Amino acid sequence: MLLGFNGAGKSTLVNRLYGKDVTKTQANRFSDGKGRYTTTSKFLHQLPYGALLLDTPGTRGVGMNSSASEIAESFSDIAAFASHCRFHDCSHTREPGCAVKSALQSGELKQDRYEHYLLLKREAMSWEEVMWQRRKKDKTLGKVLYQYRRREGKHV
Ligand SMILES: Nc1nc2c(ncn2[C@@H]2O[C@H](COP(=O)(O)OP(=O)(O)OP(=O)(O)O)[C@@H](O)[C@H]2O)c(=O)[nH]1
Ligand SMILES: [Mg+2]
């Protein structure tokens, strides 16, 4: 499977490995060299000698789609320290009585693990926010559609 940013050259590789042009490629934008989103859906190519190669639309970025609670599961050592924090909703960054920061100071918790935890938690929280906004939008759209159909006397 070929994965990569737009314009990385995935489809060019498919064509080269196939031996002829079986899929469209496109020159990157002249102004900033970025790819143009040429392949728009995934396609499984069977190469002449039998190999199967999946070409995919370029990615714009790579991220996580885990919830904050899944992050806590992966960092069960930090969750164990966190259960002794003074505040239930401690962010483990600046609150007094934070057991995670104490573990950091005593060396029980390594600095890089702590930093990875904060980074992934932040990413998970922004992912949850995106999902929440998306659900809210879908709900609003659903309501509008429902009212429209009722007004038009359509079956709902
Ligand atoms: N200089 C150079 N250009 C390349 C190379 N591979 C691909 N290209 C050029 O890069 C441009 C984009 O290539 P594509 O194969 O369309 O890229 P892609 O990854 O399939 O892009 P999307 O389908 O948008 O995700 C084309 O103009 C290719 O000719 C390479 O190794 N060197
Ligand atoms: Mg492509």
Side-chain angles (χ1 to χ4, degrees):
M1 173 158 71
L2 297 162
L3 281 178
F5 290 119
N6 287 135
K10 300 178 293 298
S11 302
T12 304
L13 272 176
V14 171
N15 291 339
R16 288 295 162 90
L17 291 168
Y18 201 102
K20 66 175 185 179
D21 287 359
V22 288
T23 184
K24 195 178 160 204
T25 63
Q26 196 175 199
N28 294 351
R29 274 202 311 251
F30 186 71
S31 54
D32 56 8
K34 287 202 172 146
R36 294 182 201 257
Y37 193 60
T38 307
T39 307
T40 50
S41 57
K42 54 189 178 296
F43 193 88
L44 189 63
H45 297 274
Q46 182 163 16
L47 304 184
Y49 44 90
L52 293 171
L53 192 56
L54 185 65
D55 191 15
T56 64
T59 48
R60 295 204 178 95
V62 180
M64 280 200 331
N65 56 0
S66 299
S67 64
S69 63
E70 283 166 329
I71 298 300
E73 270 174 40
S74 310
F75 289 86
S76 53
D77 51 341
I78 296 186
F81 294 127
S83 64
H84 300 292
C85 288
R86 184 181 307 165
F87 302 108
H88 174 69
D89 60 349
C90 185
S91 71
H92 319 305
T93 51
R94 57 178 98 66
E95 293 87 341
C98 172
V100 174
K101 293 284 270 184
S102 304
L104 203 59
Q105 267 152 20
S106 69
E108 281 176 278
L109 176 63
K110 295 268 170 289
Q111 182 72 29
D112 60 346
R113 183 157 175 80
Y114 168 72
E115 280 168 15
H116 281 142
Y117 164 77
L118 289 185
L119 199 77
L120 291 177
K121 196 170 88 167
R122 220 172 17 244
E123 207 170 317
M125 282 162 76
S126 54
W127 169 254
E128 280 178 356
E129 169 72 17
V130 166
M131 291 314 284
W132 185 77
Q133 294 287 357
R134 203 176 284 173
R135 269 200 295 274
K136 207 168 81 176
K137 213 166 100 186
D138 284 351
K139 221 168 155 182
T140 313
L141 196 69
K143 246 187 217 161
V144 171
L145 210 64
Y146 175 79
Q147 278 157 4
Y148 165 77
R149 287 188 156 174
R150 266 184 67 147
R151 237 193 353 260
E152 298 291 309
K154 292 203 167 81
H155 180 69
V156 282

